[in-house]
Amino acid sequence: MNKNISIIILAAGKGSRMKSSTPKVLHKISGFEMLYYSIKEAQELSDDIHVVLYHQASRVQEAMEKYFTGVNFTMQDHDNYPGTGGAVMGMNLKYENTLVLNGDMPLIQKSELEKFLDYKDSAIVMSVLDLNDASGYGRVIIQNDNVQKIVEQKDCNDAELKVNIANAGIYCFNTKFLNENLAKLNNNNAQEEYYITDLIELAINQNLKVSPLVVDEDNFKGVNSKFDLANAEVLHQNRIKKEFMTAGIIMRMPDTIYIEANVKIEGESILENNVTLLGNTTIINSHIKTSSVVEDSILDNSDIGPMARVRPASVLKDTHLGNFVEVKKSNLNGVKAGHLAYLGDSTIDTGTNIGAGTITCNYDGVSKYKTIIGKNVFIGSDSQLIAPITLEDDTIIAAGSTVSSDVKSGELFISRAKGRTIKDFFYKFFGKK
Ligand code: UD1
Ligand code: MG
């Protein structure tokens, strides 16, 4: 793992273009904050990781400490040293080379970052993009495979604005060079900030090598707005789905499917269009039909939907759920619930059939209660099971029952008001035609 490299992740910027009270790097793609992905990839390469914070620093730090240990969070002296150059000042770096990443680039991958480590003779290796239109980016002037100059868009003259080689914003520095030159930065530029990019000119003036590394735009996309966020998520989703399809999962109209980054899908599984899989969900040899949602649950050898919803902490094995069935915090083993049901806080065993319109009444407004249903239970349509309640093996609930006490093996439970018919009532009420 340890590649003899320190990593700094810049995450102090305000992200004003996001137009949000949430810090930019805490906006999520595929279920996780953008900064999560940068730290995760960094941890694959290094044990010396520094995350630079400033705006809403404690909120960002707390969010990341839910996932990671051993990360150094440092506060930028933003009042005195704003800008990407200011962000890397005053670091205590452990290794000979230092990779600088941006916290708002959630698509970067370890395999791409490793390419920065191949250059041994350079003071700086910097990522560049070869674009059709580089507007928004700093422009990079390259000669004889060496970076000559880098100019921020706001500081460009007309000729420089036409350059389509852009600074992707990720750099690998010789740590000694970085430490010796940061104090030489100034803020004489349009934004009155300390630019990390000015280190390039300093290196060139010292006759040191600055190597450009052309990188793939899709992996180095920076997110500055909610439009960028949506586009980055689409790319990220495509990556997730491609991996599953390569592993043998069938997806119908994959562009309409949404799968969060922690989901696992195994075996011969099928996802139809509009399926949403969230959180720590695992799907094994199962068929998820159109417009179904599964969150933090396990489905094994089961089929659900169309339009079924499996909410957190559910485990379904050898089970069939039809349309408009909602399951929450329940364990279903060999169960059929074909239509329109709510099964919450329940355990239901093999051979049991849940009729249409069955509801577990699991909540009395204060607490939640359990429903336990044994093997081979037949629950007639439109039944309400008032928890806490146990229906033992081999029992029948008559359609339309409100069940409020336990049912023993072999019994039928029926609660039904006696019906009657009134002769010719229709004609008396509406009159005869
Ligand atoms: C920067 C580069 C530009 C490059 C572009 C690529 C500079 C001066 N410019 O511009 O050449 O084309 O990235 O995306 O570096 N940050 C801090 N502290 C600060 C300011 C920013 O930590 O004081 C962090 C931000 O949170 C962000 C990163 O640095 O993660 C980049 O900042 P941003 O303002 O997005 O830089 P750009 O203007 O995009
Ligand atoms: Mg900026």
Side-chain angles (χ1 to χ4, degrees):
M1 178 270 275
N2 184 354
K3 302 274 173 134
N4 205 25
I5 189 158
S6 296
I7 299 183
I8 302 173
I9 302 173
L10 306 186
K14 193 170 180 180
S16 36
R17 284 169 282 177
M18 292 299 277
K19 307 224 175 357
S20 171
S21 58
T22 300
K24 171 158 86 172
V25 293
L26 293 190
H27 282 81
K28 290 183 177 180
I29 71 164
S30 305
F32 289 90
E33 298 85 351
M34 287 197 275
L35 183 57
Y36 162 87
Y37 295 104
S38 306
I39 299 178
K40 186 164 167 274
E41 294 303 299
Q43 279 199 331
E44 301 263 327
L45 283 177
S46 170
D47 62 0
D48 187 39
I49 297 169
H50 304 259
V51 178
V52 184
L53 302 174
Y54 179 71
H55 288 285
Q56 299 195 57
S58 55
R59 189 170 162 193
V60 177
Q61 183 170 344
E62 274 163 32
M64 291 302 112
E65 282 175 342
K66 279 192 296 185
Y67 308 115
F68 303 108
T69 53
V71 173
N72 304 295
F73 293 92
T74 56
M75 187 74 94
Q76 180 175 354
D77 181 3
H78 202 276
D79 294 340
N80 296 312
Y81 297 99
T84 48
V88 292
M89 289 175 180
M91 295 274 162
N92 189 6
L93 302 162
K94 196 163 153 188
Y95 295 113
E96 197 183 327
N97 291 298
T98 300
L99 191 61
V100 177
L101 310 180
N102 285 349
D104 59 2
M105 289 188 177
L107 298 165
I108 48 168
Q109 288 177 303
K110 178 193 164 208
S111 53
E112 292 269 359
L113 298 178
E114 277 173 333
K115 293 181 189 157
F116 287 84
L117 310 180
D118 293 343
Y119 298 78
K120 296 283 170 241
D121 56 344
S122 305
I124 308 173
V125 184
M126 62 170 293
S127 55
V128 299
L129 301 168
D130 193 350
L131 301 170
N132 291 327
D133 174 11
S135 41
Y137 288 101
R139 309 298 205 281
V140 185
I141 318 296
I142 298 175
Q143 264 171 19
N144 303 326
D145 219 22
N146 258 302
V147 175
Q148 297 299 314
K149 193 178 170 190
I150 174 159
V151 198
E152 285 311 295
Q153 160 133 337
K154 286 180 183 151
D155 303 299
C156 278
N157 62 34
D158 285 349
E160 286 161 345
L161 280 175
K162 293 200 180 92
V163 171
N164 279 333
I165 305 289
N167 173 18
I170 290 187
Y171 321 84
C172 187
F173 292 97
N174 175 290
T175 305
K176 190 159 169 277
F177 167 82
L178 188 66
N179 286 333
E180 285 172 0
N181 287 276
L182 277 172
K184 298 177 194 163
L185 293 180
N186 63 55
N187 63 350
N188 301 331
N189 53 55
Q191 303 186 85
E192 296 189 357
E193 288 185 351
Y194 293 82
Y195 289 168
I196 201 170
T197 46
D198 286 350
L199 289 165
I200 284 139
E201 199 182 333
L202 286 167
I204 292 162
N205 291 344
Q206 293 163 45
N207 289 320
L208 297 170
K209 199 167 160 57
V210 179
S211 302
L213 172 61
V214 180
V215 294
D216 180 0
E217 191 192 1
D218 281 355
N219 296 328
F220 286 77
K221 275 226 154 66
V223 171
N224 289 312
S225 66
K226 289 192 172 145
F227 182 69
D228 293 343
L229 185 75
N231 286 333
E233 185 165 64
V234 169
L235 290 170
H236 198 251
Q237 282 292 305
N238 287 343
R239 227 184 243 177
I240 290 174
K241 288 179 267 191
K242 187 176 175 192
E243 209 170 293
F244 282 129
M245 286 187 273
T246 307
I249 306 303
I250 294 174
M251 295 191 194
R252 183 204 280 169
M253 296 173 73
D255 284 353
T256 66
I257 295 174
Y258 180 77
I259 305 174
E260 286 190 346
N262 254 6
V263 170
K264 295 182 182 62
I265 314 174
E266 297 166 15
E268 300 246 349
S269 292
I270 303 175
L271 309 184
E272 292 186 5
N273 47 308
N274 287 313
V275 161
T276 300
L277 304 178
L278 305 172
N280 291 314
T281 286
T282 300
I283 307 288
I284 307 159
N285 291 323
S286 291
H287 185 163
I288 318 297
K289 294 179 189 161
T290 184
S291 303
S292 297
V293 181
V294 184
E295 181 170 6
D296 288 321
S297 291
I298 301 170
L299 270 64
D300 184 359
N301 196 37
S302 295
D303 70 281
I304 69 164
M307 292 161 288
R309 181 168 182 211
V310 180
R311 290 172 50 206
S314 299
V315 179
L316 274 58
K317 190 166 175 6
D318 305 330
T319 284
H320 160 74
L321 302 186
N323 46 204
F324 306 111
V325 175
E326 175 182 347
V327 174
K328 186 218 78 174
K329 208 176 176 185
S330 289
N331 210 312
L332 275 55
N333 183 12
V335 175
K336 288 196 173 80
H339 344 253
L340 301 157
Y342 171 60
L343 305 169
D345 301 298
S346 61
T347 301
I348 311 177
D349 215 338
T350 50
T352 287
N353 189 86
I354 309 286
T358 298
I359 304 286
T360 53
C361 308
N362 60 327
Y363 185 48
D364 63 3
V366 180
S367 303
K368 304 272 167 68
Y369 301 95
K370 282 217 69 166
T371 297
I372 298 175
I373 305 175
K375 297 187 173 71
N376 308 318
V377 175
F378 184 87
I379 301 182
S381 299
D382 193 26
S383 296
Q384 302 95 54
L385 312 175
I386 302 181
I389 194 165
T390 299
L391 313 180
E392 291 184 359
D393 296 350
D394 308 328
T395 51
I396 302 175
I397 308 300
S401 294
T402 301
V403 192
S404 55
S405 58
D406 293 354
V407 182
K408 302 279 175 224
S409 282
E411 289 178 347
L412 162 78
F413 182 97
I414 179 163
S415 81
R416 201 176 281 170
K418 192 166 167 38
R420 61 183 178 131
T421 51
I422 302 173
K423 196 168 167 28
D424 291 335
F425 183 87
F426 182 95
Y427 305 115
K428 282 177 204 152
F429 196 71
F430 292 117
K432 218 168 185 144
K433 288 227 168 75

